[in-house]
Amino acid sequence: MKSLSILGATGSIGSNALDIVRQFPDRFTVNALTAKTRVAALARQIVEFTPRMAAVIDAEHARQLKALLPPTADVEIVFGEAGYVEAATCPETDMVLGAMVGSAGLVPTLAAIDAGKDIALANKETLVMAGALVMEKVARRGVKLMPVDSEHSAIFQSMAGQGRNGVREILLTASGGPFLKRPATDFNAITPQDALRHPNWSMGRKISIDSATLMNKGLEVIEARWLFGIDFQRIKVVVHPQSIVHSMVVYQDGAVIAQMGVPDMKGAIAYGLSHPRRLPLDVPAPDFAHIGQLTFEEPDLERFPCLALAYRAGEQGGTLPAVLNAANEVAVDAFLDNRLPFVGIYPIIDQTLNHHTGVYGADLGQLIEADRWARETADTLVRRQER
Ligand code: NAD
Ligand code: MG
């Protein structure tokens, strides 16, 4: 029996993970659940999965959550960053699923590693911000870090039995998002509703916008660099609109090993939670004859400049990836609030990076300070273009 703390339980990844727990009650128990503000959804999950602890963003939401629970519910409610850390480090927890969105996942994930917990990580922003720190702690504490992002799960699976030996390069596949075929001249008219309509995957709002700009793939390149210890020149992106090949590893003899499946996160989540065992899931295999063709093409860095920006920040290293990530979070929020056009996202991130003086070998405090600085700078830039 594996006892889980699920950070970001009410989200797309979190609720898919709870579906898996529901299907395998003899394999998993839920020890802690967290959410930001969606207390009604969290209350339903608490009633069903009876965790010992639940955490929300602040005291007011903790009070609202308590009011929604039946008086018999035996759950400790905590809040704020300290609350998320408590949920991530409970003594009874074996594995933490990091499924929060954005930089909020960083501190609880690091605390969980320090406490010796195994980690299943969907929250790629944590590795983008602090990959060196995370990997160093993982090695020091000897915990398991399982990728949940579908591409990274695919790479992990494609390396099974061979490790990094003889890897020539990694090919990260990208669906290309909803605007793959849209001419650049039409990008001005893109609304949040257009951008949220992903052709293949159903995901949270922030990652859906990141998929539309291809920043998601850029963040994943940085994530892969840390998870697999491979330099940026050997991580390539290939657009594959069918999203059947989840990613590939090229070996030094020219052999390519790929992992395939239908676009459904359940497989990657379940594998992350139960590795090395594969669980019997109600997920079909791709119907290849019906799909007919799998196609591949180069990403268009002119229409999707965020991908190149992520490579640049990743290669420069230090605090730059944390700044890239924070500026992107601010720009995406502003776009979703109709305060910034879709084509305004890239310039905000680019200008924020240009204003930044990188700190190399940064510790956690310096990374958090870079994140704070980048949010303030990006926010100022958003306001300036609003006038
Ligand atoms: P989502 O928006 O559906 O859910 C996010 C969860 O995090 C919610 O439970 C929310 O309450 C919580 N949360 C949000 N902001 C928070 C904050 N400031 N503090 C504490 N909790 C907060 O997001 P999602 O699509 O499930 O994505 C979660 C993470 O997984 C992201 O990092 C994303 O990049 C990654 N991921 C998602 C998918 C997918 O298919 N959805 C695939 C690969 C990777
Ligand atoms: Mg992915």
Side-chain angles (χ1 to χ4, degrees):
M1 190 67 100
K2 197 176 267 185
S3 178
L4 304 174
S5 286
I6 301 182
L7 311 180
T10 54
S12 164
I13 295 287
S15 51
N16 268 301
L18 286 170
D19 274 348
I20 292 165
V21 171
R22 188 181 289 122
Q23 275 182 55
F24 299 97
D26 51 336
R27 240 168 229 301
F28 303 110
T29 56
V30 175
N31 194 43
L33 293 174
T34 82
K36 186 178 182 187
T37 54
R38 291 184 52 206
V39 288
L42 184 60
R44 284 192 295 275
Q45 294 177 340
I46 291 170
V47 168
E48 181 178 355
F49 294 98
T50 63
R52 289 162 190 264
M53 184 177 282
V56 289
I57 190 81
D58 55 23
E60 173 54 22
H61 287 89
R63 193 192 58 71
Q64 290 176 16
L65 176 61
K66 197 166 260 167
L68 287 170
L69 289 170
T72 51
D74 182 18
V75 57
E76 185 185 352
I77 298 173
V78 292
F79 60 84
E81 189 170 83
Y84 294 135
V85 166
E86 262 194 86
T89 57
C90 300
E92 299 80 8
T93 292
D94 301 312
M95 183 174 234
V96 175
L97 173 63
M100 284 173 162
V101 61
S103 63
L106 176 62
V107 168
T109 306
L110 289 173
I113 299 168
D114 280 335
K117 310 300 183 191
D118 287 335
I119 311 287
L121 194 64
N123 174 230
K124 64 192 83 184
E125 294 90 344
T126 284
L127 277 174
V128 171
M129 288 180 74
L133 216 60
V134 170
M135 297 315 288
E136 185 243 314
K137 274 185 194 289
V138 163
R140 185 144 41 84
R141 290 293 293 160
V143 301
K144 182 160 164 174
L145 174 60
M146 286 299 298
V148 170
D149 214 344
S150 58
E151 295 76 3
H152 305 74
S153 177
I155 294 161
F156 181 88
Q157 293 179 55
S158 299
M159 286 185 177
Q162 1 205 9
R164 280 170 213 167
N165 284 340
V167 171
R168 187 186 289 167
E169 54 191 29
I170 282 175
L171 300 177
L172 277 178
T173 51
S175 69
F179 309 129
L180 178 60
K181 297 291 170 211
R182 189 155 170 150
T185 45
D186 289 355
F187 271 33
N188 275 319
I190 292 172
T191 66
Q193 288 68 34
D194 300 331
L196 287 168
R197 223 173 284 127
H198 196 279
N200 304 344
W201 297 92
S202 149
M203 311 180 284
R205 285 159 64 84
K206 191 253 176 187
I207 184 175
S208 296
I209 304 306
D210 287 347
S211 299
T213 60
L214 287 202
M215 180 56 94
N216 182 52
K217 212 48 54 179
L219 300 178
E220 291 184 353
V221 167
I222 301 174
E223 182 184 14
R225 185 256 170 267
W226 293 111
L227 281 173
F228 304 110
I230 282 175
D231 50 77
F232 286 100
Q233 295 78 15
R234 295 195 295 144
I235 304 172
K236 308 262 163 72
V237 172
V238 57
V239 172
H240 167 49
Q242 297 82 19
S243 298
I244 297 295
V245 176
H246 293 330
S247 278
M248 308 181 246
V249 179
V250 183
Y251 288 90
Q252 59 191 2
D253 57 357
V256 180
I257 300 189
Q259 187 264 345
M260 294 186 255
V262 296
D264 183 329
M265 285 305 293
K266 283 234 179 65
I269 298 168
Y271 195 69
L273 296 179
S274 73
H275 171 267
R277 190 183 289 264
R278 285 185 188 275
L279 298 178
L281 298 180
D282 53 357
V283 175
D287 179 346
F288 288 103
H290 179 79
I291 296 165
Q293 286 191 333
L294 299 180
T295 61
F296 302 91
E297 59 192 274
E298 291 273 352
D300 179 347
L301 297 180
E302 272 174 31
R303 279 183 309 139
F304 302 104
C306 285
L307 177 56
L309 206 52
Y311 269 101
R312 194 183 97 200
E315 276 170 352
Q316 290 181 13
T319 43
L320 273 89
V323 167
L324 170 95
N325 177 66
N328 180 55
E329 288 188 29
V330 170
V332 168
D333 270 348
F335 169 64
L336 284 169
D337 285 350
N338 290 305
R339 294 171 53 218
L340 185 71
F342 184 79
V343 291
I345 295 175
Y346 165 79
I348 297 290
I349 307 165
D350 182 45
Q351 287 166 36
T352 306
L353 280 168
N354 290 340
H355 281 102
H356 182 65
T357 310
V359 178
Y360 297 87
D363 62 19
L364 180 59
Q366 288 167 316
L367 290 166
I368 290 173
E369 171 53 22
D371 172 89
R372 189 206 59 74
W373 173 88
R375 279 168 202 281
E376 191 180 284
T377 304
D379 191 58
T380 305
L381 293 167
V382 168
R383 282 170 207 279
R384 202 172 287 163
Q385 63 79 48
E386 276 181 303
R387 287 203 300 264

